[in-house]
């Protein structure tokens, strides 16, 4: 380590693991060893295997897998579920196992000094035979349990680490830890094997499992700090959600797009901005899905492609409701102008929802996106997980430079904030509130544009009605205050005049 | 010990290091003393034949494998602990009361 010329910057090797190269700012330090540590079930082995698999799939780099725990046949079988045919790769000399897993009947008697020279020789031999560029070693803790003499194991692992470095291969070693927050790894392995440490966590948070990855240190090079959520998908393996590592470099566009309602366009000063996020917040049943449908319909009339994610209603319900407002979703889908994705919020974790949203957007390439409602996803994850989800979703949609309309349901019927709003309002460009207004014993609906970044907008709270042709925005409510807080108070004309007068001196 | 029973002993080493040489010497001495003539000893250098180590899944060196007679046994180290070697070779049953109960 110390005899390296200090002027050469540490090169990085693109791992190909989705999201990882972003948070690591280019991949794993090339030619070095990185320790992956985590508790049982934190996906260490998947990471180690995927590091090799991506090398083969994306850059035809052969890899050696040294296993101290599971038998190669088990690993082959487990990874088949990820669509990785290890056996085929072995036949093509792209993958080689060094099987150091416990063999029945191989329990050895220790009779004097020994070293792990045979293991080193086998690893070197495997690397040489297939010209490996990547090595995964899974896991170091298991080596300690094989031999009584821990100090020999320790010094031999140090020797192995040095040997790997001189072979010029990039190595991933896994080690287990007993707690999510505590010592880095058992047996203190991080002290002597690796300049680089990554921690995988699988934390139980509010009855939900949440996986995160954290790059603890990369010696001599930079990386993103902190924990990033990830998930393990059946066809992709580990997918890391880079959250704020996504560069916020979206352009601000002056181009306007239709909201779907001419009155709403007027209230917004000429429509929504093309690359803006619009949050529509309101109590259940007060017209959010209708606004979503109009947003879609308006886009489709302009010849745009629209993508709708629905988490509150089934497909049939949604199509029927849209029909009731005179909007034919089925016809739009037939014309490939619309794609409706309905999912039950509890069907997956937040990370999985996020990834499936991203995949849909990437494959359908819509001109506008709507999510109805994001608050339905609130209950799937922890508070923190949800905040990260919202931020990630928002920045992803903004990156596409398309308008995104998200709805949020308020907790109480008469208004008040929702969790979604508190996490989301600062990253949205436009906030539209829909509210029930009780007036003289009658329920009416009000709509107002609370905020619109970069544009003039109307400040009135207008009444709107819903019929078989959709939404009709009418006149502003006058002589009434407290609509937004859910406690409307009527003013007689005299009071209203007095309040109006307060602001003209 | 059955006179017709022949021992097949394979000693895996990594190069001719002092530790390897010690293991060879120790094994030779033990064999001469306890197995006079009834053994075949093979020394395999893993650096020259790494595939053999792969086949036998050897991790530590030196490793002594008692291939015959059954049961197969593995002993690792420079074999300086003679009693453990004898135990591993099943040559130590009654004669060494110090090892009883181990």
């Amino acid at each position: 380590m110390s005899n390296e010329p200090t002027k050469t910057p540490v090169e990085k090797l693109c791992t190909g693991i989705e999201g990882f190269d972003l948070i690591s700012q280019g991949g794993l330090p090339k030619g070095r060893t990185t320790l992956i540590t985590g508790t049982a079930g934190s996906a260490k082995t998947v990471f180690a295997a995927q590091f090799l698999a991506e090398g083969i799939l994306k850059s035809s780099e052969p890899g050696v897998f040294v296993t101290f725990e599971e038998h190669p046949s088990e690993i082959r079988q487990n990874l088949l579920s990820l669509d990785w045919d290890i056996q085929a790769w072995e036949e093509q000399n792209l993958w080689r196992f060094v099987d150091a897993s416990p063999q029945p009947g191989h329990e050895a008697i220790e009779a004097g000094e020994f070293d792990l020279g045979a293991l080193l020789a086998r690893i070197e031999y495997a690397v040489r035979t297939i010209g490996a560029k990547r090595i995964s070693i899974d896991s170091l803790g298991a080596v300690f349990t094989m031999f009584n003499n821990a100090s020999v194991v320790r010094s031999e692992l140090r020797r192995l680490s040095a040997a790997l470095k001189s072979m010029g291969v990039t190595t991933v070693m896994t080690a287990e830890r007993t707690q999510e927050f505590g010592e880095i790894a058992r047996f203190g392995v991080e002290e002597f094997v690796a300049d680089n440490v990554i921690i995988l966590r699988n934390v139980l948070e509010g009855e939900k499992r949440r996986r995160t990855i954290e790059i603890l240190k990369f010696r001599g090079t930079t990386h993103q700090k902190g924990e990033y959520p990830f998930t393990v998908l059946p066809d992709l393996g580990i997918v890391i959600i880079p959250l704020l590592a996504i560069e916020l470099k979206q352009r601000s566009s002056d181009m306007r797009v239709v909201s779907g309602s001419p009155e709403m366009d007027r209230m917004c000063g000429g429509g929504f901005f093309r690359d803006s996020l619009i949050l529509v917040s309101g109590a259940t049943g007060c017209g959010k899905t209708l606004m979503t449908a109009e947003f879609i319909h308006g886009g489709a009339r302009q010849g745009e492609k629209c993508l709708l994610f629905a988490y509150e209603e089934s497909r049939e319900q949604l199509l029927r409701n849209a029909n009731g407002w005179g909007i034919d979703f089925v016809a739009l889908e037939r014309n490939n102008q619309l794609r409706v994705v309905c999912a039950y919020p509890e069907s997956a974790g937040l990370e999985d929802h996020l990834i499936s949203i991203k995949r849909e957007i990437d494959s359908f390439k819509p001109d506008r996106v709507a999510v109805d409602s994001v608050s339905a996803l609130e209950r799937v994850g922890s508070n923190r997980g949800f905040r990260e989800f919202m931020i990630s979703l928002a920045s992803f949609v903004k990156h596409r430079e398309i308008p995104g309309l998200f709805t949020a349901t308020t907790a109480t019927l008469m208004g008040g904030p929702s969790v979604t709003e508190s996490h989301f309002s600062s990253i949205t460009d436009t906030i539209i509130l829909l509210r029930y207004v009780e007036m003289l014993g009658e329920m009416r609906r009000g709509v107002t544009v609370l905020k619109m970044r970069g544009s003039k907008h109307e400040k009135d709270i207008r009444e709107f009605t819903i019929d078989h042709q959709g939404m009709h925005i009418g006149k502003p409510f006058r002589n009434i205050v407290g609509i937004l807080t859910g406690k409307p108070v009527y003013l007689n004309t005299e009071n209203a005049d007095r309040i109006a007068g307060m602001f003209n001196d | 010990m059955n006179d017709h029973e022949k021992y097949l002993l394979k000693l895996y080493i990594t190069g001719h290091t002092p530790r390897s040489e010690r293991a060879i010497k120790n094994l030779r001495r033990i064999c001469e003393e306890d197995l006079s003539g009834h053994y075949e000893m093979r020394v395999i250098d893993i650096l020259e034949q790494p595939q053999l180590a792969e086949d036998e899944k050897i991790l530590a060196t030196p490793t002594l494998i008692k291939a015959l007679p059954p049961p197969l046994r593995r002993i690792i180290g420079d074999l300086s602990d003679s009693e453990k070697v004898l135990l591993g070779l099943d040559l130590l049953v009654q004669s060494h009361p110090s090892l009883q109960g181990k």
Side-chain angles (χ1 to χ4, degrees), chain A residues 106 109 111 113 115 119 122, chain B residues 19 58 61 74 76 78-79:
Chain A
H106 278 200
I109 297 163
E113 285 175 33
D115 55 40
L119 175 68
R122 285 168 64 191
Chain B
R19 188 176 290 148
I58 289 165
T61 39
R74 291 179 170 231
I76 61 173
D78 63 6
L79 311 179

Side-chain angles (χ1 to χ4, degrees), chain B residues 4-97:
Chain B
H4 305 292
E5 217 169 30
K6 187 140 183 169
Y7 272 70
L8 174 57
L9 302 172
K10 296 193 234 173
L11 182 66
Y12 293 83
I13 56 166
T14 39
H16 287 269
T17 61
R19 188 176 290 148
S20 306
E21 297 301 340
R22 247 187 346 262
I24 295 169
K25 221 174 78 194
N26 285 334
L27 181 60
R28 201 160 269 149
R29 179 175 44 78
I30 292 165
C31 288
E32 282 308 315
E33 284 171 11
D34 290 73
L35 290 170
S36 51
H38 293 274
Y39 70 95
E40 187 190 332
M41 175 175 153
R42 289 185 204 155
V43 177
I44 296 141
D45 187 350
I46 286 169
L47 297 186
E48 286 165 16
Q49 292 173 288
Q51 189 57 49
L52 293 181
E54 192 57 53
D55 298 342
E56 288 287 358
K57 310 211 182 306
I58 289 165
L59 302 180
T61 39
T63 289
L64 173 64
I65 294 184
K66 182 188 71 140
L68 284 172
L72 196 98
R73 286 218 196 277
R74 291 179 170 231
I75 303 163
I76 61 173
D78 63 6
L79 311 179
S80 54
D81 188 338
S82 305
E83 286 188 353
K84 285 217 174 131
V85 179
L86 292 171
L87 187 75
L89 294 177
D90 297 318
L91 292 170
L92 200 71
V93 188
Q94 300 293 326
S95 49
H96 291 260

